[in-house]
Amino acid sequence: MKKIIRALTAVAAGLALAAPGTLATPAAAAAGPAPAGQATRLELPRPTGALAVGRDTLHLVDRDRKDPWVPTADRELLLSLYYPALAHTGTPAPYMAVPEAKALLTDRGRLGEYVTPERLAATRTHARDGALPRPAAQRYPLIVLSPGFTMPRSTLTTLAEDLASRGYVVAAVDHAYESDGTLFPGGRMLSCKACEQVFPDGSLHRVTEGRARDVSFALDRLTGPRPAWRHSRLIDARHIGMAGHSIGGAAASATMAADPRVDAGVNMDGTFFTPVPESGLGGRPFLMLAGDPALLPPDFPDTSWEDSWPRLDGWKRWLTVTGAGHPGFTDWPVLGDQVGYDHPETPLSGTRSQQITRAYVGDFFGLHLRGTPAPRLDGPAAADPEVVFHRSS
């Protein structure tokens, strides 16, 4: 029943990589999975910044709040913290655990025919676990990343590593019971209990509102007087941004509405399940980065972007990316290209999808957290013909 509900609602809600059971394009389907001899190691694109990247994992438990999906448990978060580091220190960071990869592929239709959980989990990243922080006279702005519903934080690794290489601390968050499967401390595999509750009745606003509370709690623990992270001294708490994919993007605006500490936000192709308040976001900047509207069904019912646009009361842009489908802002097009898996939802190549995502999200935060000029955000550029300025202000 869960599969049927998700297949019926994934496009309208803008939640998953592809509806379970989505077929590859005819050419890819005819080709089938790559032969075993061609199963080279998957690799994420190298970060574009000049700095080496370290990574830590941080488990947070909110003893003052019960989990909205499992009320007998305290609310838990699992964070990957990326930061500028000294090169060649630490050890290569894994992409994800094999059980997480298995859970993810199980809910991704035919993709599991093209890549095994072991191969996906072994994807080469460019961060290093336990790397020594880069000595710096100043602190780094903090950017929080929230993934799409059912998706783990690892699916935003390419963006997280790139931002850290540009001189940010990045906190990618797994929200308990909201992914297909995330391995929490103690070997506990937490599955998507939230899916069983919000898909049947369409109460997806519960997810964005809960994530807003999650992020506020995480900020308390990262920047408060008794920080939980050993490298918290790296964070400049005066400059904080948030970006998310799908429902994680909707959570960015919901968090900004609830927490004035977040100075700038990005929604990457997510329905605003929690409406932007009529009073706006206190004049703070917001970027709406959407997939190609031509790839949506003709009767696509989402009007939340039109409704939210006039309520955004600060610097704002509404950009669309021609050829980019819903997962185009995550790691999936890059990895899909490498295993020969293609589907009509994302005709834009993985390489180009990530070039655009990293460039525009990175420049947005550079402009609004650092004051760095970002001319590509001023209007259409010949170098980026896929990027359409739907609206700007």
Side-chain angles (χ1 to χ4, degrees):
M1 182 64 179
K2 173 182 166 185
K3 292 283 187 180
I4 296 172
I5 292 169
R6 204 175 289 179
L8 291 173
T9 61
V11 174
L15 301 176
L17 167 66
T22 296
L23 298 178
T25 58
Q38 297 180 18
T40 56
R41 187 178 183 186
L42 304 180
E43 182 175 357
L44 299 180
R46 290 187 175 277
T48 62
L51 306 179
V53 179
R55 193 185 78 178
D56 264 355
T57 302
L58 181 65
H59 175 224
L60 297 177
V61 181
D62 188 348
R63 303 294 182 188
D64 296 324
R65 182 162 61 107
K66 292 300 181 182
D67 191 276
W69 319 115
V70 181
T72 56
D74 292 330
R75 184 60 167 165
E76 295 181 72
L77 306 174
L78 201 58
L79 279 60
S80 289
L81 288 152
Y82 299 83
Y83 54 94
L86 290 177
H88 311 302
T89 62
T91 57
Y95 186 56
M96 63 173 65
V98 173
E100 293 173 325
K102 183 177 181 180
L104 192 60
L105 291 174
T106 298
D107 204 26
R108 292 286 148 335
R110 296 187 69 243
L111 183 57
E113 299 177 18
Y114 289 76
V115 61
T116 64
E118 291 76 14
R119 187 181 178 201
L120 177 60
T123 296
R124 182 186 176 190
T125 68
H126 299 282
R128 297 178 72 86
D129 272 339
L132 296 175
R134 180 182 175 87
Q138 78 261 6
R139 297 184 175 191
Y140 302 106
L142 171 66
I143 298 173
V144 178
L145 298 181
S146 184
F149 201 33
T150 78
M151 305 290 277
R153 69 193 189 283
S154 55
T155 56
L156 296 175
T157 299
T158 298
L159 178 58
E161 291 183 341
D162 192 70
L163 289 168
S165 78
R166 296 180 180 214
Y168 297 92
V169 173
V170 181
V173 184
D174 252 322
H175 310 263
Y177 301 109
E178 294 180 16
S179 74
D180 287 323
T182 297
L183 200 59
F184 273 70
R188 295 173 297 133
M189 190 70 170
L190 303 189
S191 60
C192 192
K193 298 295 185 183
C195 299
E196 301 167 6
Q197 300 177 45
V198 302
F199 277 126
D201 64 8
S203 59
L204 289 152
H205 62 92
R206 294 176 58 196
V207 180
T208 51
E209 291 163 7
R211 290 194 180 190
R213 290 189 285 273
D214 289 345
V215 174
S216 289
F217 171 69
L219 295 182
D220 291 343
R221 300 299 288 123
L222 291 173
T223 67
R226 300 179 64 183
W229 184 39
R230 59 177 176 164
H231 298 315
S232 62
R233 67 186 183 280
L234 297 175
I235 296 173
D236 180 359
R238 301 167 302 169
H239 299 98
I240 297 175
M242 181 175 174
H245 171 243
S246 192
I247 211 165
S253 59
T255 302
M256 290 178 70
D259 195 325
R261 291 176 293 182
V262 182
D263 301 301
V266 181
N267 181 346
M268 297 183 289
D269 211 45
T271 297
F272 289 86
F273 293 110
T274 299
V276 174
E278 291 187 9
S279 58
L281 298 177
R284 286 167 290 170
F286 202 85
L287 171 65
M288 304 198 311
L289 186 61
D292 190 341
L295 298 174
L296 296 173
D299 57 347
F300 189 68
D302 183 16
T303 63
S304 69
W305 283 44
E306 290 283 354
D307 297 338
S308 296
W309 176 257
R311 298 180 179 183
L312 297 172
D313 56 342
W315 184 104
K316 57 186 177 180
R317 297 288 186 273
W318 179 345
L319 311 181
T320 60
V321 183
T322 304
H326 186 57
F329 308 99
T330 74
D331 299 344
W332 287 108
V334 171
L335 299 177
D337 286 354
Q338 292 177 47
V339 302
Y341 178 79
D342 191 17
H343 53 79
E345 190 186 0
T346 55
L348 189 64
S349 75
T351 297
R352 190 65 182 134
S353 295
Q354 276 307 306
Q355 286 175 344
I356 290 170
T357 300
R358 294 187 295 180
Y360 281 82
V361 173
D363 280 13
F364 170 81
F365 285 124
L367 175 63
H368 295 293
L369 298 183
R370 283 206 171 106
T372 304
R376 65 162 39 95
L377 294 172
D378 292 336
D384 299 321
E386 306 93 338
V387 180
V388 178
F389 278 67
H390 185 71
R391 293 187 186 177
S392 62
S393 177

